[in-house]
Amino acid sequence: MGKTKHQGPIKLPKTPDPKNWVSPVPFGLGKIKPGHIRDTVKVAWENRDNLSYAGKILTQGVCDGCALGVSGLYDQTLAGPHVCTTRLNVLRLNTMPAMKKEILHADVDELRKYSSAELRRLGRIPYPLIRRRGERKFSRLTWDDALNLIADKMKTLDPKQVSFFLTSRGITNESYYVAAKVARYLGVNNIDNASRICHSPSKTALKRSIGVGASTCNYQDWIGSDVIVFWGSVAANNQPVSTKYMYAAKRKGTKIICINPYREPSMEKYWIPSIAESALFGTKLADDFYQVNIGGDIAFMHGIMKHWFEMEAKQLGSAIDHSFVKKHVNNYEELKAKVQQQGWGEIEASSGVSKERIHELAMLLAKSKSGVFVWSLGLTMHTFASDNISQVANLALLRGFLGRKHCGLMPIRGHSSVQGSGEMGADPFVLPGGDFEPNNIERIEKLWGFTIPKWQGDVLGVSLENILLPEDHERKIKMYYLSGGNFLETMPDPDFVERALSSLEFRVHQDIIYNTSTLVDAKEAVIVLPAKTRYEQEDGGTSTSTERMVYFSPEIKGNQQQVEEARAEWKIYVDLAKRVKPQRSHLINFKSGQQIREEIALANPNYDGIQHLKERGDVFQWGGAWLCEDGICPTPDGKGNLILVDIPDLKKGKDTYYVTTRRGKQFNSMVYHESDPFNGAGRYDVLMNGNDAKELSIHEGETIVVYNQHGVFQGRAKFIDIARGNLEVHFPEGNFLLPKGVYEKYAKIPSYNVAVKVEKAERFNARKDIKYLEKPIPDQETEIS
C-alpha cells in the first residue's frame, strides 16, 4: 500500500533548551510529580529474586506495556535507550514465582477478601485447576484432564452458546491468530478482544473516511510537524515514552495542543527520566489546552470547520487545501452546507468552548502546513464514537494532512500488540486480512481448508447479556473461554457482570495470575489454565505497534522461577481444538511459531514479511511510512470521504453533570498506586470544578455521592481545572455508574460516559428514595517528591 519506507531512528539534539523548562529547581523538588527514580528502585527491589531475567526482558524483549513498540531498550523513532514506569510495573508479571500451594488452594471466600492488586502479588498459577459447583477450593488437574473436560463440555453445546475473549495482556499476534482460527474451526464466531472494546470506533470511522483502519503515520511524524493535536488522549500518562517524542517535537518548534475536559497535569509538564535535561528541569509539553465538554467534541470540530468556511468566504484558500480536496476528497459542498447550518450558540453550548477560543485553534490549524491528529479513549468511549472520529478525519482531509511527512491520523493504542488483535481475526466482525464478509470468508476458507460459520458473532457486552437468556434460547451463552481479562473491572455495571459470570455453566480462565473474576462461581465448573508469558513463548512472538511496526520478541531463557507446567497460549488452543474435533485436526495443528507466521503472511497480505522475523530486533512496518500516500486512499474511487453528522443531543437536564472514567497510576484495570502522582488524587476522589462545587455547597475533601439510574458512587470532592458541568472518576472504581446494554451504534462498544447527579453525602443519605451502595474510601496521602 505504501511506497516510502520508514527512515529509522533519528537523534535528539544534545544542547539544552531552557525555554521549555518547567522549573530551574532540579528534579521538580516540592512539586507533585512522578518519582521515577524512586519507582525504578522499588521495581528493582520487587524483582530482586529474579533480577538477571528481569534485565534480559528489558534488554532483549519487546515491551509488553503500551503500543509504542520498544524492542529491548530501543525503538524506531529516536536513537538512544527508552524505559518507562509502565513497562517496569508490568515487569513483575514475568519474573515472579508460582503461588504458594496454601494460598492457591485456600478457601475461595478467603481469596475473595483480596483485591486484584493483592491477588496479582501472590504469584503465578502453577498448574491446571478446577473448582466444581459447591466446592470451596481449587483442586489440581493434569493438563489432559483439564483439556478433556473443556472439550467434552464444548461437544455438548451449540457453537452459538460458546464465547471466546482475549485480553491485551502481552498476547502475541501468533496467539491472536491461532485463537481466531481455532474458534472458527470449532464453529464459534463469538470471539472478541480487549482492543475492540477500546478502539473499534477508530477502525470503523477511518475505514469509512479513508478506507483503512489504522494509524496513517508514524511517531516520527510528530517531530517537525507544525502542530500535534491530542484529542481525548493523555499520552504522557498512558504511553509515557511518548513524552520523549513530544520533547523532540518541541525542540523542532512543533505546537502541541490538548483537547480534554481536564487540563491534565501530565500533558502540561513532565519530567522525562531518559533525557537528562528533562529529568532535571522538566519539560513544558502542551502549548494550549481546549477544555471541551465530555461529549462536546463534534460541536467543537464543527466550530473549527465553520470558522474555516467563514474564512474561505473572505479569501479563497485561506483555510481549506482546495488542491488536495479537489483531487482526493468527496462531499465537500455537502459538508460545507451541513456545517454552515449550525449556529454558534449550539456549537458553544455543546462544546463548552467559546467562539473566540474555537477561532484561535481554527486559525492555528489553517496556518499550519502540516499536522498530526492523535486520539484515544476520550473520543472512542461514546455512543457516537465513530462520528467523533469521522470529524477528526474531516479536519485532516480539509487541510490535506494525510499521506505525507509530518501529517496523519493516529489512534494511539494503549497496550502492546492490540493493533494486531483484529488484524489477526480475533474479532466478531473480521477475519485475517479483511472484514467478516462473503469475499473474505471465501478467501480464508480456501486457505484454512474448512467451512467458516456464516452467522454473525456477538461482541463481549452482548455475549454477557446472552448468558441470562432463557435456557432454551439458541444464543444463550453457557461457556466462556477467557484468555486473561477481568470483566468485573473493565465492563460497565460490575454487579450485573458478576451475576452473568456466575450464571455460566462452564468458565475457563487461561491466565498467568488469579484476578477477582477467577474466583466467581459457575454452575458446573471453573477451570484455570496456566499460560506462559510472551517472553516464554517457544519460537518467540510478534506484536504490532500503533504505527504498524511488527516487532519480533525472542523466547528469553534463564527464568529462575519458571512455571514448569505453563504452556504457550497458542499451543493450548491447538491442543483443545484437536480434542473437540480430532477428525480434521491437521488443519489447525501448528507445530511452531514460525509455521504460524508463514500462514499469517498468507492470511493477511499486509503482514507479508512477518515470516522473515526470526531474530531479536527484527521488525518491519506494514503499509510503508504513510498510508494513503500522496492522498490516494484505498477506497473504491481512491478518495477520502467527508462524513456528515449531527451534533449529538446529550439531553443534559437541570443540575445534571457528565462523568467520564479516567486512569491513574495503572495499566488498564491493574492499579499500581493508590494516588495519582500527577495531581495527588485518590482512587475514590471525584474530580470536579470548584465553581460547580460552590453552587452545591460542597467543600474540597467533603464526602459526596455521584448517582444515576444505574448506580451510586461515594467519594471525596477534589477540585481540579476541568470544564464546568463535567466530572471524572477513576476506572474501574466508577464503573457502577455506567449502563450495561448501551453501545456505540457502529462499532458496538460500551459507553464509558454518562449523565449523573451530585449531592453532599449527608443530604443524599437522608433521602430514602434511592438505594445507596456504600463504597469505602481509603485514606490517601498526597505524594510530594
Side-chain angles (χ1 to χ4, degrees), residues 339-356:
V339 169
Q340 285 180 326
Q341 287 171 6
Q342 290 158 357
W344 279 109
E346 181 187 9
I347 288 170
E348 288 181 305
S350 179
S351 70
V353 183
S354 70
K355 179 179 177 180
E356 292 71 29

Side-chain angles (χ1 to χ4, degrees), residues 683-737:
R683 300 296 303 182
Y684 286 91
D685 280 347
V686 178
L687 308 187
M688 66 186 304
N689 184 290
N691 290 321
D692 286 340
K694 189 175 180 180
E695 287 186 358
L696 297 168
S697 301
I698 289 170
H699 302 289
E700 186 157 25
E702 184 175 4
T703 305
I704 61 174
V705 174
V706 181
Y707 65 95
N708 57 18
Q709 67 270 40
H710 312 296
V712 178
F713 178 85
Q714 178 180 271
R716 288 198 183 106
K718 182 171 180 62
F719 300 167
I720 60 167
D721 188 353
I722 191 171
R724 293 201 64 175
N726 300 274
L727 307 171
E728 293 194 359
V729 295
H730 281 95
F731 162 98
E733 288 83 353
N735 287 3
F736 286 93
L737 298 168

Side-chain angles (χ1 to χ4, degrees), residues 516-581:
T516 51
S517 70
T518 321
L519 308 176
V520 174
D521 293 333
K523 287 185 174 179
E524 293 178 14
V526 177
I527 286 183
V528 180
L529 303 176
K532 288 190 172 184
T533 70
R534 73 158 52 168
Y535 305 116
E536 298 166 333
Q537 183 174 297
E538 293 87 349
D539 284 340
T542 60
S543 58
T544 310
S545 75
T546 291
E547 56 184 350
R548 297 171 281 105
M549 293 281 184
V550 185
Y551 289 89
F552 181 79
S553 191
E555 179 184 359
I556 299 175
K557 306 281 190 180
N559 186 355
Q560 295 174 10
Q561 304 192 134
Q562 183 86 33
V563 175
E564 295 300 328
E565 289 197 46
R567 293 188 180 181
E569 305 237 18
W570 66 263
K571 288 191 171 184
I572 302 172
Y573 284 117
V574 169
D575 198 349
L576 174 64
K578 287 161 68 175
R579 292 165 195 260
V580 180
K581 284 188 171 182

Side-chain angles (χ1 to χ4, degrees), residues 18 67 98 160 204 278 289 293 369 392 411 416 465 715 734:
K160 292 179 182 176
T204 303
S278 182
F289 280 82
N293 281 332
K369 292 183 170 56
V392 180
S416 179
E465 293 172 39

Side-chain angles (χ1 to χ4, degrees), residues 315-530:
Q315 183 184 346
L316 191 69
S318 59
I320 307 295
D321 185 337
H322 288 286
S323 173
F324 184 89
V325 169
K326 188 174 181 181
K327 284 185 191 173
H328 302 298
V329 180
N330 296 318
N331 306 329
Y332 176 75
E333 292 298 335
E334 294 87 342
L335 177 70
K336 181 179 176 181
K338 177 76 173 178
V339 169
Q340 285 180 326
Q341 287 171 6
Q342 290 158 357
W344 279 109
E346 181 187 9
I347 288 170
E348 288 181 305
S350 179
S351 70
V353 183
S354 70
K355 179 179 177 180
E356 292 71 29
R357 287 284 284 149
I358 295 173
H359 282 190
E360 286 178 30
L361 182 56
M363 287 295 294
L364 173 64
L365 294 173
K367 290 177 180 176
S368 298
K369 292 183 170 56
S370 58
V372 180
F373 294 104
V374 182
W375 68 91
S376 193
L377 307 191
L379 286 190
T380 64
M381 297 305 228
H382 293 268
T383 53
F384 42 82
S386 295
D387 286 349
N388 275 343
I389 292 142
S390 69
Q391 302 312 288
V392 180
N394 282 358
L395 295 176
L397 288 169
L398 290 171
R399 289 293 304 131
F401 291 171
L402 186 69
R404 58 188 173 92
K405 194 172 185 178
H406 298 146
C407 293
L409 293 160
M410 180 179 282
I412 192 167
R413 298 292 194 158
H415 296 157
S416 179
S417 200
V418 291
Q419 179 66 39
S421 57
E423 292 165 350
M424 297 299 103
D427 181 320
F429 301 121
V430 303
L431 288 168
D435 291 337
F436 191 79
E437 49 84 25
N439 289 341
N440 200 41
I441 292 173
E442 184 181 356
R443 181 182 70 84
I444 293 296
E445 283 180 335
K446 286 178 182 174
L447 175 67
W448 285 353
F450 58 81
T451 301
I452 295 170
K454 306 303 185 291
W455 53 275
Q456 176 58 57
D458 285 322
V459 299
L460 165 59
V462 174
S463 68
L464 287 174
E465 293 172 39
N466 287 355
I467 295 168
L468 300 178
L469 286 171
E471 193 62 34
D472 58 352
H473 197 289
E474 69 165 2
R475 291 188 86 113
K476 179 181 176 67
I477 299 296
K478 297 183 177 181
M479 176 178 173
Y480 228 116
Y481 193 114
L482 299 105
S483 180
N486 184 353
F487 300 156
L488 287 177
E489 296 184 6
T490 54
M491 295 297 289
D493 196 344
D495 288 338
F496 163 77
V497 172
E498 183 167 9
R499 191 165 80 252
L501 290 179
S502 62
S503 298
L504 285 162
E505 292 180 4
F506 213 87
R507 212 171 63 248
V508 180
H509 292 265
Q510 180 173 302
D511 213 329
I512 58 175
I513 52 172
Y514 276 175
N515 65 49
T516 51
S517 70
T518 321
L519 308 176
V520 174
D521 293 333
K523 287 185 174 179
E524 293 178 14
V526 177
I527 286 183
V528 180
L529 303 176

